């Protein structure tokens, strides 16, 4: 049975993109230890950012080739980003950060939707690729918990599957940073792996360990951080993508 915990790796193995654990060096450059009781790779929480940066730097071209279509095959994600862009435009503040921008494909999409969009990413290889692929746009290396942006400067923040590698205990720190950089009534769109359980679930993502979240639980964290979550979209887990595709749209209080 495909569950939210196992489905992403099942889907990726079908696509030929997810090797067995002992061959994970094909995607990253290191072979991490495996906890065979859980099936998870052992990853010290304190090092999750360094591990994530190294892992994504090792798959830049592959990752870019998979997602350069700007969600042409993902109508639900595309619809939420379009709604987000429309609402940001309505605030009159078009300045928008794509945090965890990867190869810059969604930064470019936001620009095409009329926003003054720029991209930030932890991995320097992703930033270099984004600059080459989209030379007219701005990209910068940055950590999500310490953004190089002044207070209350933005009309929007897009976090498209970019908070998924953050351990649950560290997520409030990231959300507080999004609150800091957004102007009052600014918009945040968070997209993430959803689960119908009661607690976040750690799983073996194709690049680096990640977490799926109960939507109500993440919405509660957004509220605690100073956001007003007002819209959500869940893609049916029976879809061929094999997991809950979750989106939360929130306004800074």
């Amino acid at each position: 049975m495909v569950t939210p915990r196992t489905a992403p790796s099942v889907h990726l193995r079908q696509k030929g993109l997810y090797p067995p654990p002992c061959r994970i060096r094909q995607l990253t450059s290191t072979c991490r230890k495996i906890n065979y009781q859980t099936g998870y790779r052992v990853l010290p929480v304190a090092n999750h950012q360094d591990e994530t940066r190294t892992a994504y730097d090792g798959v830049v071209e592959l990752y870019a080739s998979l997602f350069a279509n700007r969600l042409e095959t993902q109508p639900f994600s595309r619809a939420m980003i379009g709604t987000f862009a429309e609402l940001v435009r309505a605030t009159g503040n078009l300045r928008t950060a794509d945090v965890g921008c990867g190869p810059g494909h969604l930064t470019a999409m936001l620009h095409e939707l009329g926003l003054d969009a720029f991209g930030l990413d932890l991995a320097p290889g992703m930033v270099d690729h984004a600059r080459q692929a989209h030379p007219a746009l701005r990209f910068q290396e940055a950590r999500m918990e310490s953004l190089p942006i002044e207070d209350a400067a933005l009309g929007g923040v897009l976090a498209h599957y970019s908070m998924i590698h953050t351990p649950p205990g560290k997520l409030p720190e990231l959300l507080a940073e999004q609150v800091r950089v957004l102007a009052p009534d600014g918009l945040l769109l968070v997209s993430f792996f959803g689960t119908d359980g009661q607690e976040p679930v750690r799983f073996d993502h194709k690049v680096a360990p990640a977490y799926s979240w109960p939507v109500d639980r993440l919405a509660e964290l957004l509220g605690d951080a100073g956001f007003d979550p007002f819209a959500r979209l869940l893609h049916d887990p029976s879809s061929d993508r094999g997991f809950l595709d979750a989106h939360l749209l929130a306004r800074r209080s």
Side-chain angles (χ1 to χ4, degrees):
M1 181 179 71
V2 176
T3 67
R5 173 173 170 177
T6 62
S9 53
V10 170
H11 174 64
L12 289 158
R13 287 193 182 98
Q14 291 172 347
K15 295 291 187 180
L17 299 175
Y18 193 90
C22 289
R23 293 172 55 213
I24 197 70
R25 62 172 62 90
Q26 294 176 359
L27 287 180
T28 61
S29 60
T30 58
C31 188
R32 299 175 179 85
K33 294 181 179 179
I34 306 295
N35 181 332
Y36 286 101
Q37 291 183 332
T38 64
Y40 296 145
R41 284 175 287 174
V42 177
L43 180 67
V45 170
N47 295 329
H48 80 276
Q49 292 169 324
D50 293 337
E51 292 277 352
T52 301
R53 180 179 60 243
T54 299
Y56 275 95
D57 270 344
V59 296
V60 172
E61 297 304 324
L62 173 60
Y63 192 91
S65 69
L66 291 173
F67 298 105
N69 61 11
R70 303 184 195 174
L71 307 182
E72 289 176 6
T73 62
Q74 300 178 32
F76 296 100
S77 294
R78 193 170 63 246
M80 285 298 284
I81 291 176
T83 300
F84 165 76
E86 180 177 348
L87 293 174
V88 173
R89 291 197 305 268
T91 70
N93 182 351
L94 303 182
R95 193 177 175 200
T96 301
D98 178 10
V99 294
C101 65
H105 57 301
L106 296 186
T107 316
M109 183 177 177
L110 293 175
H111 174 74
E112 292 171 358
L113 290 170
L115 302 182
D116 178 16
F118 60 96
L120 303 169
D121 200 273
L122 178 68
M126 288 291 184
V127 172
D128 289 343
H129 181 96
R131 287 171 174 166
Q132 294 176 28
H134 309 285
L137 301 180
R138 295 162 289 147
F139 297 95
Q140 182 177 346
E141 185 180 347
R143 290 178 180 260
M144 291 182 67
E145 78 280 6
S146 182
L147 298 174
I149 303 169
E150 59 272 26
D151 294 354
L154 303 182
V157 170
L158 175 67
H160 188 81
Y161 286 91
S162 55
M163 296 185 184
I164 62 172
H165 303 293
T166 303
K170 299 287 187 180
L171 197 58
E173 182 180 357
L174 263 63
L175 296 177
E177 185 69 348
Q178 318 310 311
V179 169
R180 181 187 69 80
V181 300
L182 277 167
D185 294 326
L187 282 301
L188 170 68
L189 175 60
V190 181
S191 300
F192 57 99
F193 296 105
T195 177
D196 54 7
Q198 300 298 314
E199 298 293 335
V201 177
R202 189 173 186 265
F203 68 91
D204 209 12
H205 182 268
K206 61 182 178 181
V207 180
Y211 298 83
S212 60
W213 277 84
V215 178
D216 287 340
R217 181 78 178 274
L218 189 53
E220 182 180 346
L221 284 184
L222 288 170
D224 292 342
F227 286 104
D228 175 22
F230 64 91
R232 63 179 65 183
L233 185 150
L234 284 177
H235 191 189
D236 192 320
S238 65
S239 72
D240 59 3
R241 297 188 68 198
F243 53 81
L244 281 166
D245 187 17
H247 309 268
L248 279 172
L249 189 55
R251 182 177 287 107
R252 181 189 166 186
S253 303

